[in-house]
């Protein structure tokens, strides 16, 4: 659910407004109001999507200001927007985990990874790994969890989740082997 807001008069105002919505989402998250927090986090994108920096392929078509210069983002503004988006996708992913919606969590993590490109983010990887565990996709969960721990080796929650992964994977493997035996009349 994305709101259709008109762009404010400047990128600075849009970033300020987006930051306000993110902070409101964080407060709702702390109160365990996950659905309301999701609405706030999603609203952030209405303010920052479409703002372009000079490296963007559509920059040449950007509206011009009164002085004839294109209204493009500075490097600092671009970095701020990138951080805002990644943070909101990460927070959305956590909300979806709490709401038992692993598919939405995985999508938010994937969207954050697209923004990060070659950078790695432990929280994103961790949440994606947790979501894959929820849908019993252990082959995708393991590399996410292992990579997250490599980035934050002292994170106890991540280590505990990896131990939980090992137990669940062993149980799942055993159940799958039993199914195979039953399917083929015990010939395995």
């Amino acid at each position: 659910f994305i709101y259709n807001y008109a762009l404010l008069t400047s990128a600075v105002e849009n970033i300020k407004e987006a930051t306000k919505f993110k902070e409101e989402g964080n407060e709702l998250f702390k109160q365990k109001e996950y659905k309301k927090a999701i609405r706030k986090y999603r609203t952030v994108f209405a303010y920052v999507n479409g703002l372009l920096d000079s490296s963007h392929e559509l920059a040449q078509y950007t509206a011009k200001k009164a002085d004839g210069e294109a209204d493009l983002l500075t490097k600092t503004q671009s970095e701020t927007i990138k951080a805002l988006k990644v943070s909101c996708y990460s927070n959305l992913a956590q909300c979806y985990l709490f709401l038992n919606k692993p598919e939405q969590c995985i999508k938010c993590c994937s969207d954050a990874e697209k923004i990060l490109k070659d950078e790695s983010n432990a929280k994103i990887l961790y949440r994606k790994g947790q979501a894959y565990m929820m849908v019993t996709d252990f082959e995708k969960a393991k590399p996410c969890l292992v990579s997250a721990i490599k980035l934050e080796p002292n994170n106890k929650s991540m280590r505990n989740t990896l131990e939980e992964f090992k137990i669940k994977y062993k149980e799942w493997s055993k159940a799958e082997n039993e199914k195979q035996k039953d399917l083929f009349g015990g010939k395995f």
Side-chain angles (χ1 to χ4, degrees):
F1 182 91
I2 301 284
Y3 296 97
N4 188 13
Y5 291 105
L7 288 177
L8 299 172
T9 56
S10 76
V12 172
E13 290 177 42
N14 280 38
I15 293 169
K16 200 180 290 182
E17 201 64 22
T19 302
K20 183 186 94 177
F21 276 100
K22 178 188 173 243
E23 290 167 359
E24 290 173 7
N26 290 348
E27 287 304 312
L28 290 164
F29 182 89
K30 289 175 190 171
Q31 298 166 19
K32 300 183 184 203
E33 295 279 349
Y34 304 121
K35 289 180 181 178
K36 290 179 182 177
I38 286 169
R39 283 194 292 275
K40 295 293 181 178
Y41 294 135
R42 290 262 177 225
T43 303
V44 168
F45 298 101
Y47 283 96
V48 295
N49 283 351
L51 298 176
L52 308 175
D53 64 21
S54 60
S55 68
H56 195 281
E57 62 191 38
L58 297 177
Q60 64 182 326
Y61 304 110
T62 302
K64 307 284 187 232
K65 296 186 283 187
D67 63 5
E69 289 292 315
D71 193 15
L72 299 173
L73 299 172
T74 65
K75 183 174 168 79
T76 302
Q77 290 170 330
S78 291
E79 289 169 0
T80 300
I81 289 172
K82 177 182 174 181
L84 255 174
K85 287 180 173 183
V86 169
S87 178
C88 285
Y89 278 129
S90 178
N91 294 350
L92 283 163
Q94 187 61 59
C95 287
Y96 286 126
L97 279 176
F98 283 133
L99 293 172
N100 199 27
K101 296 184 175 188
E103 291 84 6
Q104 287 95 328
C105 174
I106 292 166
K107 171 137 181 27
C108 288
C109 292
S110 295
D111 289 342
E113 290 171 327
K114 286 176 194 167
I115 294 168
L116 290 168
K117 295 180 180 147
D118 294 330
E119 298 173 47
S120 292
N121 180 299
K123 281 184 181 180
I124 298 291
L125 291 164
Y126 177 56
R127 291 172 181 162
K128 196 173 193 180
Q130 289 177 297
Y132 279 130
M133 280 177 55
M134 290 172 79
V135 296
T136 61
D137 192 338
F138 295 108
E139 289 178 12
K140 290 182 180 174
K142 185 178 179 180
C144 292
L145 295 172
V146 169
S147 295
I149 290 172
K150 284 181 182 174
L151 293 170
E152 290 189 21
N154 297 324
N155 187 313
K156 249 186 183 170
S157 294
M158 290 181 190
R159 291 193 161 288
N160 290 342
T161 301
L162 186 60
E163 290 307 312
E164 179 186 337
F165 165 84
K166 291 175 184 175
I167 293 166
K168 286 186 175 185
Y169 180 75
K170 197 180 258 186
E171 291 170 357
W172 176 82
S173 275
K174 186 176 179 184
E176 285 298 304
N177 286 338
E178 291 301 317
K179 284 182 195 174
Q180 292 297 322
K181 284 181 185 176
D182 291 344
L183 186 63
F184 294 103
K187 295 189 180 190
F188 280 103

